[in-house]
Amino acid sequence: MRTLKKDLKELYSGNSLDEIINKLGDIEHIEDLLVRFCKDGNEHIARRLVDMALKKSNSLDNYVRFVDYIAKERLMGDKDWALAIYDIAFDKDKNYQNNEILCKSISYPIFLKDQEWEEEIYKYVLGKAKYSLIYANLAESIALQNALNNKEWAKEILTIALSKATDDFEYAGIAKVIASKDSYNDEKWARDIYKVALQKNENLNQLTRIAGSIASSRYINDKKWAKEIYESAFLGITNSSEEEYHKVFLYSELAKSVALEETLNDKEWAKKIYETAINLVPEEDGMHGVLQTRMAEISLVNAKDICEDLLKRAKYLFDYINAAERIISEETLNDREWAKDVYKQALLRVDDIRGYISLANSVSDYLNDEKFLIEIYELAVKKSDSEYSYQEIAEFASMCLTDKTWPKQLYAKAIFKADENNEPANTIIKWKKKYKRIFKEEYIAPPPSKAKIAQDARKDEIISELKKYYFDEDLEDLIDDVINADCFTSFINSVSEHQELVKMTINMLLNQPNNDSMSYTEYAEYAYEFLHDEKWSKELIKVALKQLEEDTENSNNFLIRSCVNISESILNLFKDKKWAKEVYELGVKMASDYDEYCMIADSISDEKYLNDRELAKDIYKLAVKKAQTVNEHIVLARYIIKFDKKWAAEIIKEFIKTINEYESYISISEAILEVFEDEKWGKEIHQLGIDLAVNNNEDEEVLKYIQKEWNKQLKM
């Protein structure tokens, strides 16, 4: 790297050199540099840059992306080297069964009208392919009329693809390639293969997909045959023994397909199918509203009506974010003012740091309003409860804001607070390195606070006392514990035979800056366990409760955790159920989120603590009302299954009715397998996810990856 920089300094200077040096370390900028060096006539620098990038890279995508630049005549024009890189990539990819990434990298012509070169690459990749649809994709590219247009060769490959096909999904995929008007374009042969796919069909959602491709003008364009298949799918769903939530999903996908202009464009029938699905869902169920929105979108003739309808139904933070993104999108309205108003409505529905960060990321990507971004980040800081939150917010802000002043100040505050609070030295070192990388300068620590100076003086007193009792390595280790302050529990335990040292340590901790309710509870446990001083211990618990009620710095989640911690300490130390219950009830009054209620209920139901199952159930009911996302429902199920397995399953089943993304089905199915250990139910939900992914035209590698991960889950 040093030699490369030296050569660059001989070719470039000033701002131009600074810009190049800054981009060298980031793989995302290397393509820009390659083009620049080649255009400037500095191809030798471009070659060394590619070598350097490939040595650093472990990603197949990065190998493939350089091939185009290396092979193009207007850049490097070195096709032998490009082919060699494919070879390296395949070798690195030897554990990946089908080489989808590499095969797809040449599914469309990327080189400049060099038929001989393209054929060489296709032959090379064909030698590596294993999966039927990879052969089909390559055949489609080879037959493209504006590329090689070699139908004879494509037919040979399609024949191999058919010999490897095993199910309706693969046969239907091959039929689409054969029918493609831009590529092979053999309707008669495609019809025969579609018939094979239909004979092998066992999946009602796949039946809908087959009908859609047969109806499309890009393929067969046979609306009559497609309608017969759609009708068959409708009857199949109606007469199936599937659970109702699965039927709702299948009806919804069928309705969406028949409404498309590319297929039947039959909006009236689509509405009737949606109505059939809606009738299966209770009115109070979230899925009822989702289906009504989808049905309404069929009738809404313009983007504005659709966005207004989305807002009418918006309830949660991400509903508003999605609406704002749709409003500002160039493909729809491109209305910045309206989008900003919706983002402001979203801001009113944020209740944790992750929500603020998600909202800020969306505003950065779509609205790009830095003043509004800082307003969001500042609100996030007010919700923050620790230096770790400051660091996280600062890091996201540094990526989204052009002016780095604000995130730099916050990052510095995070490091300073971590140092003041005696956070682990390795954490502070890591943050300082990140600070330097992000802001291109060293972190300069401000002078320590008076409280920090006083605390260091007390540490010196403890060290002097230690020297009276310990020597050599033992003394060195204990002094190191005091200086680094990583774990005073371990330290106090080590010196517990010397009560004066224990008392000095607790007093030092009591006087350190930024003590919170959780800290005072910990000190109460020290006083009880090591000094057997119940009176002092109770006084410290009362200090913890007072601190809890007056706390305006920490997040609500922290305060709830502290409530639970205090309650458990009261039960462990003093066996006082009445006092503990009062503190638990204080936590319930303060709680506002599902996980906060879950924390309290889990502790209350635990036999080691209050062991009050009736009170716990009432609090879990409050948690159920608050849960919104997939992950929240999974976490909720993990808590409740320890308490009531049947109820936990009912909660998941109700939530499944509201899902409309394939990733959500996959996550839920894996949770069912892990949490409920119910393979049959898990497989049903997993199949819903696969069906939706297929319906959304997800890439084959995505589907294979999903199945591979599922198989792993089954083996665990």
Side-chain angles (χ1 to χ4, degrees):
M1 171 74 89
R2 203 170 295 143
T3 308
L4 179 59
K5 282 185 181 178
K6 187 176 177 182
D7 288 350
L8 286 169
K9 285 176 183 177
E10 292 174 3
L11 297 167
Y12 300 93
S13 62
N15 292 337
S16 181
L17 176 64
D18 291 341
E19 183 188 351
I20 290 169
I21 297 293
N22 285 336
K23 286 182 175 181
L24 276 180
D26 189 347
I27 195 92
E28 296 303 319
H29 293 305
I30 284 179
E31 292 172 28
D32 297 338
L33 293 177
L34 286 178
V35 174
R36 179 172 185 167
F37 293 153
C38 289
K39 283 183 178 177
D40 292 348
N42 296 320
E43 188 188 315
H44 64 293
I45 298 288
R47 286 177 173 275
R48 287 172 60 196
L49 187 59
V50 171
D51 273 334
M52 181 189 78
L54 292 180
K55 283 174 187 172
K56 281 187 171 185
S57 175
N58 289 316
S59 164
L60 293 175
D61 287 326
N62 287 333
Y63 275 79
V64 169
R65 70 202 285 188
F66 291 132
V67 171
D68 192 16
Y69 291 88
I70 292 165
K72 281 182 177 175
E73 293 292 348
R74 65 185 175 85
L75 297 177
M76 297 184 198
D78 191 334
K79 292 164 187 171
D80 290 336
W81 190 20
L83 193 59
I85 288 176
Y86 263 113
D87 208 27
I88 295 167
F90 271 109
D91 185 58
K92 286 177 78 72
D93 192 37
K94 59 190 173 188
N95 295 322
Y96 190 61
Q97 186 182 359
N98 296 307
N99 303 107
E100 284 97 337
I101 293 172
L102 298 172
C103 293
K104 275 192 173 279
S105 73
I106 52 105
S107 286
Y108 294 95
I110 56 177
F111 305 113
L112 293 177
K113 297 181 179 179
D114 188 331
Q115 187 168 326
E116 186 180 335
W117 163 244
E118 287 175 22
E119 286 179 1
E120 188 175 353
I121 287 287
Y122 282 123
K123 286 174 185 174
Y124 180 76
V125 178
L126 281 166
K128 305 285 184 177
K130 296 177 183 178
Y131 179 45
S132 66
L133 289 181
I134 294 296
Y135 282 98
N137 287 338
L138 292 168
E140 182 177 21
S141 183
I142 288 166
L144 276 173
Q145 292 160 21
N146 62 353
L148 287 183
N149 196 19
N150 190 333
K151 292 184 76 170
E152 187 177 334
W153 188 19
K155 186 171 185 178
E156 291 175 19
I157 299 167
L158 286 167
T159 304
I160 297 170
L162 286 167
S163 72
K164 291 181 176 291
T166 57
D167 58 27
D168 59 334
F169 176 70
E170 292 177 26
Y171 278 104
I174 296 166
K176 279 174 72 174
V177 171
I178 295 170
S180 173
K181 296 286 192 283
D182 297 325
S183 183
Y184 197 79
N185 196 19
D186 186 332
E187 184 181 321
K188 184 176 182 301
W189 189 19
R191 282 178 179 273
D192 291 340
I193 307 305
Y194 272 123
K195 286 173 185 175
V196 176
L198 289 168
Q199 286 167 5
K200 289 183 171 289
N201 177 258
E202 295 178 350
N203 183 303
L204 290 166
N205 195 46
Q206 176 62 9
L207 197 59
T208 296
R209 289 192 82 242
I210 291 171
S213 61
I214 287 171
S216 171
S217 58
R218 291 174 57 203
Y219 305 110
I220 299 291
N221 197 21
D222 188 332
K223 312 290 186 190
K224 183 181 176 185
W225 187 20
K227 186 162 186 180
E228 290 171 5
I229 299 168
Y230 278 130
E231 286 170 345
S232 176
F234 181 82
L235 285 172
I237 298 166
T238 305
N239 297 328
S240 76
S241 57
E242 298 280 359
E243 290 198 35
E244 284 191 353
Y245 63 81
H246 194 176
K247 284 189 174 185
V248 168
F249 166 80
L250 293 170
Y251 280 131
S252 175
E253 293 303 305
L254 177 62
K256 188 162 65 175
S257 184
V258 302
L260 291 172
E261 289 183 19
E262 183 65 19
T263 59
L264 295 189
N265 195 21
D266 192 334
K267 299 191 187 320
E268 290 306 311
W269 188 27
K271 283 185 193 174
K272 288 176 183 175
I273 297 169
Y274 272 128
E275 284 169 358
T276 306
I278 288 168
N279 289 335
L280 295 176
V281 183
E283 196 168 322
E284 65 276 10
D285 193 300
M287 191 61 187
H288 195 276
V290 171
L291 291 169
Q292 284 187 321
T293 299
R294 290 180 187 171
M295 186 168 71
E297 285 181 355
I298 294 173
S299 306
L300 297 170
V301 293
N302 60 57
K304 187 176 180 183
D305 290 342
I306 292 171
C307 291
E308 284 176 346
D309 190 70
L310 275 175
L311 284 171
K312 278 180 193 172
R313 301 181 187 283
K315 184 177 179 184
Y316 303 117
L317 169 66
F318 288 98
D319 297 335
Y320 285 91
I321 290 176
N322 291 335
E325 289 175 355
R326 192 158 186 171
I327 288 165
I328 203 169
S329 170
E330 289 182 5
E331 288 78 33
T332 51
L333 297 177
N334 197 17
D335 189 330
R336 291 177 58 81
E337 278 190 38
W338 188 16
K340 188 170 181 178
D341 286 340
V342 175
Y343 276 127
K344 286 179 178 177
Q345 292 177 57
L347 192 53
L348 299 173
R349 287 154 180 84
V350 182
D351 56 8
D352 60 18
I353 292 167
R354 301 305 310 163
Y356 283 113
I357 289 172
S358 296
L359 178 59
N361 287 344
S362 179
V363 169
S364 174
D365 289 343
Y366 289 85
L367 195 62
N368 195 22
D369 182 329
E370 298 223 342
K371 188 178 175 185
F372 186 35
L373 262 180
I374 291 176
E375 182 185 331
I376 296 167
Y377 287 129
E378 284 176 341
L379 287 169
V381 170
K382 286 180 182 177
K383 277 271 185 182
S384 301
D385 60 5
S386 72
E387 53 272 31
Y388 292 93
S389 302
Y390 291 158
Q391 187 269 341
E392 184 181 15
I393 295 164
E395 196 160 330
F396 274 101
S398 71
M399 292 187 281
C400 295
L401 294 169
T402 308
D403 184 349
K404 308 298 181 193
T405 307
W406 188 87
K408 184 167 77 170
Q409 290 170 349
L410 184 62
Y411 214 121
K413 185 177 179 180
I415 297 171
F416 177 75
K417 193 174 180 186
D419 194 30
E420 286 271 299
N421 290 347
N422 296 310
E423 293 299 333
N426 60 338
T427 297
I428 296 170
I429 290 167
K430 184 173 75 174
W431 287 3
K432 285 179 180 178
K433 284 181 179 177
K434 277 193 173 184
Y435 180 95
K436 183 179 178 181
R437 179 174 56 78
I438 294 169
F439 304 113
K440 313 300 181 196
E441 62 182 60
E442 297 282 355
Y443 166 77
I444 300 173
S449 65
K450 288 180 181 179
K452 175 73 171 171
I453 293 167
Q455 187 193 30
D456 288 343
R458 290 189 183 94
K459 285 184 180 180
D460 290 340
E461 290 172 9
I462 292 172
I463 290 167
S464 296
E465 189 72 14
L466 279 170
K467 290 175 180 177
K468 296 177 185 177
Y469 307 107
Y470 299 95
F471 305 95
D472 302 327
E473 289 181 10
D474 289 342
L475 177 61
E476 286 178 19
D477 289 343
L478 289 169
I479 288 173
D480 191 55
D481 284 345
V482 173
I483 291 170
N484 292 317
D486 285 346
C487 184
F488 273 107
T489 305
S490 171
F491 173 77
I492 291 175
N493 197 51
S494 299
V495 301
S496 58
E497 60 186 312
H498 304 292
Q499 292 211 338
E500 188 58 35
L501 270 170
V502 174
K503 197 177 289 185
M504 285 176 70
T505 305
I506 294 173
N507 279 314
M508 183 201 72
L509 293 170
L510 285 170
N511 286 286
Q512 71 179 351
N514 303 316
N515 274 325
D516 52 41
S517 51
M518 202 86 82
S519 309
Y520 287 116
T521 308
E522 188 177 8
Y523 309 153
E525 290 170 352
Y526 293 162
Y528 190 93
E529 182 180 347
F530 296 107
L531 299 177
H532 313 295
D533 190 334
E534 184 173 329
K535 183 181 177 184
W536 192 20
S537 182
K538 282 186 176 179
E539 285 172 3
L540 290 173
I541 289 289
K542 288 174 184 175
V543 173
L545 284 167
K546 188 171 186 294
Q547 181 71 18
L548 182 73
E549 291 171 358
E550 294 174 357
D551 194 331
T552 57
E553 291 282 320
N554 289 309
S555 70
N556 207 57
N557 192 275
F558 175 87
L559 299 180
I560 301 305
R561 279 188 285 119
S562 189
C563 258
V564 170
N565 192 37
I566 293 169
S567 300
E568 291 175 353
S569 290
I570 290 169
L571 290 164
N572 283 334
L573 303 178
F574 319 121
K575 315 300 181 200
D576 190 333
K577 287 194 171 187
K578 184 183 175 187
W579 190 12
K581 189 172 181 180
E582 287 171 3
V583 180
Y584 278 127
E585 287 169 350
L586 173 65
V588 173
K589 287 177 185 174
M590 296 168 69
S592 61
D593 207 351
Y594 85 100
D595 60 331
E596 295 168 357
Y597 288 116
C598 283
M599 271 191 282
I600 299 167
D602 187 52
S603 180
I604 286 172
S605 65
D606 196 317
E607 291 178 3
K608 293 184 297 186
Y609 301 119
L610 202 58
N611 194 21
D612 187 336
R613 293 176 65 82
E614 286 305 311
L615 178 58
K617 187 164 187 177
D618 289 340
I619 298 167
Y620 273 130
K621 286 176 182 176
L622 297 173
V624 172
K625 289 178 183 177
K626 292 287 183 179
Q628 298 175 19
T629 66
V630 174
N631 188 55
E632 287 172 2
H633 281 82
I634 291 170
V635 172
L636 195 57
R638 287 184 203 280
Y639 275 112
I640 293 179
I641 197 167
K642 296 183 284 183
F643 183 82
D644 185 334
K645 187 174 181 179
K646 185 180 176 185
W647 185 24
E650 286 170 4
I651 290 166
I652 292 295
K653 284 179 181 178
E654 284 301 307
F655 179 66
I656 286 169
K657 295 175 184 176
T658 70
I659 292 174
N660 56 16
E661 295 175 343
Y662 80 86
E663 296 96 335
S664 300
Y665 283 110
I666 301 303
S667 297
I668 287 283
S669 67
E670 290 171 356
I672 288 168
L673 201 61
E674 181 193 345
V675 179
F676 294 91
E677 298 179 350
D678 188 332
E679 189 173 319
K680 184 185 175 192
W681 184 23
K683 280 182 176 176
E684 286 175 9
I685 305 306
H686 187 266
Q687 188 59 51
L688 290 176
I690 292 287
D691 290 345
L692 187 53
V694 168
N695 218 50
N696 290 348
N697 294 315
E698 294 294 335
D699 289 341
E700 286 91 359
E701 59 261 34
V702 173
L703 298 172
K704 285 284 179 183
Y705 176 77
I706 292 170
Q707 195 58 50
K708 182 179 169 186
E709 290 300 302
W710 175 251
N711 291 337
K712 269 193 211 172
Q713 290 283 332
L714 289 175
K715 289 174 184 174
M716 287 171 68

